[in-house]
Amino acid sequence: EIVLTQSPGTLSLSPGERATLSCRASQSITSKFFAWYQQRPGQAPRLLIYDTSTRVTGIPDRFSGSGSGTDFTLTISRLEPEDFAVYYCQHYGTSPPFTFGPGTKVDIK
Amino acid sequence: EVQLVESGGGLVQPGGSLRLSCAASRFTFSSYWMSWVRQAPGKGLEWVANIKQDGSEKSYVDSVKGRFTISRDNAKNSLYLQMNSLRAEDTAVYYCARGHSAPDYWGQGTLVTVSS
């Protein structure tokens, strides 16, 4: 089973700054099946990116995903006030388990 | 927009049972895989189970196999999770979500608390 590790645990930034969130897999992922979710306090998770780099319809283009092998990245080019939240990465595929990372909290500096 | 509304959560004693329901609307329910994902208080996300469009295929995370059963009723646009032999570690918000493994829409969740 692939284990996902996210870093940093907390990222303290100011609005307008660039955020780079990392997710590392315990073994190389040969497929493109990698996703990122945003969860604001008291809300359900929201899918942002799937297939490593495809943005969900309606997600602003300041969000971008990249990566391959064991290292995957979510980049938020310029933080807006509504972007301060917890972000989860996920490896998925044709058969379970569909593992989530522990999350990175982006909070206001 | 797609709507998913969970119900059925509550307080239950260890060893007890609970049945969660999810009412789906504003999309063709019978055309989609559906999933349950849970989140323990203050913790991260854990995928629990999924079910194929016609109910012919189901998968579970190892920790709930033999105790939880996912099902659906396409005529009622509803998804269910029957939870038996509940343990303290099953305490979580349970989300109904649309999709096989990377859900694109989620309900607001229903809280299940297993405690004596």
Side-chain angles (χ1 to χ4, degrees), chain A residues 63-103:
Chain A
F63 291 91
S64 62
S66 63
S68 64
T70 59
D71 294 308
F72 295 81
T73 300
L74 175 70
T75 302
I76 310 171
S77 59
R78 288 177 54 86
L79 283 164
E80 296 288 341
E82 62 268 26
D83 299 338
F84 292 92
V86 178
Y87 293 84
Y88 295 95
C89 60
Q90 184 203 21
H91 169 58
Y92 60 98
T94 57
S95 59
F98 307 125
T99 314
F100 290 92

Side-chain angles (χ1 to χ4, degrees), chain A residues 1 35 37 39 42-47 50 88 90 92-98 100-102, chain B residues 37 39 43-47 50 59-62 95 100-109:
Chain A
E1 179 180 332
Y37 299 81
Q39 188 175 33
Q43 295 189 15
R46 177 171 74 145
L47 180 65
Y50 64 95
Y88 295 95
Q90 184 203 21
Y92 60 98
T94 57
S95 59
F98 307 125
F100 290 92
Chain B
V37 180
Q39 185 171 34
K43 302 297 184 183
L45 302 169
E46 181 181 38
W47 175 85
N50 66 8
S59 295
Y60 301 90
V61 67
D62 283 349
Y95 294 102
H100 171 270
S101 48
D104 58 356
Y105 285 94
W106 301 56
Q108 284 304 303

Side-chain angles (χ1 to χ4, degrees), chain B residues 7-110:
Chain B
S7 60
L11 175 64
V12 61
Q13 292 189 337
S17 298
L18 215 51
R19 189 195 195 205
L20 306 183
S21 299
C22 171
S25 59
R26 301 178 187 170
F27 69 101
T28 305
F29 180 73
S30 59
S31 296
Y32 289 86
W33 281 80
M34 295 295 295
S35 296
W36 287 99
V37 180
R38 67 183 178 183
Q39 185 171 34
K43 302 297 184 183
L45 302 169
E46 181 181 38
W47 175 85
V48 175
N50 66 8
I51 184 169
K52 195 176 180 179
Q53 289 90 330
D54 62 359
S56 61
E57 295 181 31
K58 306 174 185 180
S59 295
Y60 301 90
V61 67
D62 283 349
S63 59
V64 309
K65 282 180 181 175
R67 300 189 299 123
F68 290 12
T69 302
I70 189 171
S71 63
R72 64 191 296 162
D73 184 336
N74 288 341
K76 295 183 178 179
N77 291 334
S78 293
L79 178 71
Y80 306 101
L81 187 67
Q82 177 67 44
M83 303 186 296
N84 298 330
S85 303
L86 282 161
R87 306 166 180 167
E89 55 264 36
D90 296 318
T91 294
V93 173
Y94 285 73
Y95 294 102
C96 165
R98 189 180 81 168
H100 171 270
S101 48
D104 58 356
Y105 285 94
W106 301 56
Q108 284 304 303
T110 187

